[in-house]
Amino acid sequence: MKISKSQRNNIIFLGIILIMIIPQTRQPIQVFLQKGLAMFSPSIVDEEDRITLTDYNWQLVDENGLRYDFNEAKGKVVFINFWATWCPPCIAEMPSMEELYQDYKDEVVFLFVSTEQQEVISKFKQKNAYDFVVHASITANPAQLETSAIPRTFVIDQQGHILIDKTGAADWNSKKVRGLLDELLKFE
C-alpha cells in the first residue's frame, strides 16, 4: 500500500503532536526549540529609554548559606538572572551564561536568582557541570527588578543604569554582550 504525500504529512504532524503530549519528551523538545531562539544576542536599551536603579535594598542568600546585601553591588557592573530548573528557555540559555560567568566572575557581580529548593538546584548544576552560584531572595527585589516571567536578565552599569532588560532566552556569550561588559569594565 502506497502512502500519499498528504497522508505522510498527517502522520508526521500527528507524531509531533504525540511527542509534545508525552511528558518525558516535552521538556527536551521545548529546550531544543528555545536553543534556536537563544542564538541571538539580547538588545541593549537605548540611552534615552534606560531606567536607573535607585533601590539597592535587597537581601539574598546563596546556596552555601552566605548572605549577600545588594548594596555591595553599588558602583559595580551587575548581571542578574531570574530563572528555574524546570523552565525550557532558562535551560536553553544556561550554557552561554556559564561561559560568560567563567570569564567575568572576578570582575562582574553575577546574581543567578531562583525560588527553587536548594537540592533541586544542586542536582541541576551538578548534572550540567555549572559552576555559577545561585541565590534566593530573602527580601523583595527592588521595584525596577520585578519580574513576572522567567528567564529575565538584567545588566546594570556602575551608575545603576539598566543597559539590558531581557525576558526570554538569549545568547549571553555573544560578542555584543562581551563587548558591552569589556567597555563597562574599562571604567572601573
Side-chain angles (χ1 to χ4, degrees), residues 98-185:
E98 173 68 18
E99 288 181 48
L100 192 70
Y101 171 77
Q102 289 301 326
D103 290 343
Y104 289 91
K105 66 184 174 188
D106 295 330
E107 302 166 279
V108 173
V109 175
F110 281 88
L111 297 172
F112 293 89
V113 183
S114 180
T115 60
E116 290 183 282
Q117 296 294 319
Q118 183 52 51
E119 183 179 318
V120 173
I121 292 169
S122 293
K123 285 180 183 176
F124 176 81
K125 285 179 54 183
Q126 186 175 25
K127 174 184 169 190
N128 294 287
Y130 293 144
D131 193 38
F132 55 80
V133 178
V134 179
H135 291 78
S137 293
I138 297 173
T139 62
N141 318 355
Q144 291 111 338
L145 302 178
E146 277 302 314
T147 183
S148 59
I150 56 173
R152 180 122 183 236
T153 306
F154 299 92
V155 174
I156 304 165
D157 71 8
Q158 296 92 327
Q159 292 76 39
H161 302 119
I162 298 175
L163 304 181
I164 296 178
D165 179 350
K166 170 72 173 144
T167 301
D171 178 9
W172 293 99
N173 195 34
S174 66
K175 287 182 183 179
K176 182 192 284 184
V177 174
R178 286 177 164 275
L180 174 65
L181 294 178
D182 290 341
E183 190 65 31
L184 293 173
L185 293 169

Side-chain angles (χ1 to χ4, degrees), residues 41-80:
S41 295
S43 299
I44 298 172
V45 178
D46 291 334
E47 203 165 324
E48 63 273 5
D49 296 330
R50 292 181 184 164
I51 296 170
T52 302
L53 188 62
T54 55
D55 178 12
Y56 282 80
N57 294 317
W58 184 24
Q59 300 295 312
L60 302 109
V61 62
D62 74 15
E63 60 196 84
N64 302 310
L66 300 174
R67 291 178 78 106
Y68 182 77
D69 182 347
F70 190 54
N71 280 296
E72 294 176 31
K74 277 185 185 175
K76 298 178 182 176
V77 178
V78 183
F79 183 99
I80 303 171

